[in-house]
Amino acid sequence: MEKKSLKIKSKITHQYTLPFCVHGCLALSNDMCVILGTNSGELSKFVVLNSGTVDVLDYEVPSMEEGGFNYRGALFKTEVGFGCVFDYELVEYDLRKRTFKITSIKDSLPRDEAKRKTGPYRAAVKVNKKEYLVTLQDHFHYFKTKYFCTLKKNMLGARYEPFIYKMQRATFSSTVDCHATYTNGRLLFHRCEYGKMLADRDNDISEFCEISNGRENVIATVTKGIGRFSSDGEHLLIRTYTKPYVFEFYSLKGRKLFTVPMTPKRVIGNIEKQFLEFFDKYDSTLWMGRNYNVTQTRFETFNSIDS
C-alpha cells in the first residue's frame, strides 16, 4: 500500500561570521535578518544581514545600569522594519528611510515576586500602534524568560503595565523558560520547565498554551525543548534539547507538522547545535545564530510516496 509522507529538502544559502556575538535574532524576510550583537569592548549594535551582506547600523545601544555590554533587548518586527525594547528605551528602525525613532520608557522596570528588577529579553511583539507584548528575563536564571507584560506608548513616552503572566515553577523543576506572541487576536506562549538542560526527565514540562478570557489553557503538549514563535506568525518552533537535535514545526493550533534535522551540511552549518538558543524562521528560511556565527538556510517541504 502506498503512503504519502512529508519530506524536507534544505540548503544553506549563506554563512556569516560577525564582529559581534549574537544575543538576539529576528527574521525580517527570506533574505533579511537583524541581530542584536555585542562584543568584548562593551559595545552593542544592531547588525542587518541581507543576502550575504553585513550592515552594522549606526545606533548606540544603551548600556545596562550595572555597566558593560547590553545583551538584554527584546526584538520585534514592524511593517517597515524592526524594533527593540531595552530597559529604558523603545527604538524602532525604518529600513527604507534608514532612520531610528526612539521613545523613552518613563517608569521603573517591572519587578518579580521577590521585588527584584526584571528586564526585556529576547522577543517582543508589536500588538498595535501603541502597545507591545514584551518577554522579561528571569532575575535568578539569566538568559531565561519567566514573565511577559505589556508596554504602552503615549505622547509622553512609554510605560510598563502590570504583569500579564508570571510563570509558576513546579516543585520538581529548577529552571523555567517561556516565549510569548500575539497573533490574530490570540495571546500564545510556550513554556518549558526542566531540572537539567540536555537531560530528558519524565517530570519535565513543554507545553503550547493560550491565555483567553484571563484563563490559561494548554493547547498541546509538545516535544521538550526551547520554543520560539516564528516572526512570520505561522509556527511554533521547538529546538529539541536532547539528541537527535531537530527543529519541530507546530501549527498555531498545536498540531505537529514536520521536522527539520539539524544536519551540519544542509541546515546548521558551523554552529554548535547542542547549545543553539537564537533562531527564527520567515516563510521558507531558517536563521540561526550562536557566538559570532549565523547560518541562513532555505528549506522546502514536499510529499513523497512510501511503499
Side-chain angles (χ1 to χ4, degrees), residues 172-281:
F172 51 78
S173 298
S174 61
T175 308
V176 297
D177 199 7
C178 69
H179 192 264
T181 192
Y182 186 87
T183 180
N184 296 324
R186 300 173 68 201
L187 201 169
L188 307 171
F189 66 98
H190 169 261
R191 66 175 174 204
C192 183
E193 299 186 17
Y194 54 90
K196 184 179 180 182
M197 193 67 168
L198 308 177
D200 192 353
R201 305 185 318 154
D202 291 340
N203 287 334
D204 292 349
I205 295 174
S206 184
E207 294 177 327
F208 182 9
C209 305
E210 179 176 9
I211 292 181
S212 179
N213 297 321
R215 297 183 60 184
E216 177 186 312
N217 302 310
V218 177
I219 298 172
T221 298
V222 298
T223 301
K224 299 166 188 175
I226 297 171
R228 301 286 184 266
F229 289 95
S230 61
S231 62
D232 60 10
E234 293 184 352
H235 296 100
L236 167 66
L237 276 66
I238 300 291
R239 197 278 285 171
T240 59
Y241 61 66
T242 55
K243 294 180 179 179
Y245 304 110
V246 300
F247 288 114
E248 293 190 349
F249 286 67
Y250 290 82
S251 75
L252 296 190
K253 293 184 178 181
R255 184 167 66 92
K256 183 178 174 180
L257 301 175
F258 56 90
T259 297
V260 176
M262 295 169 65
T263 56
K265 291 184 178 181
R266 293 187 177 275
V267 177
I268 195 73
N270 57 359
I271 294 175
E272 186 179 14
K273 58 187 175 182
Q274 183 178 3
F275 300 104
L276 177 64
E277 177 187 357
F278 299 105
F279 55 88
D280 197 3
K281 168 258 178 190

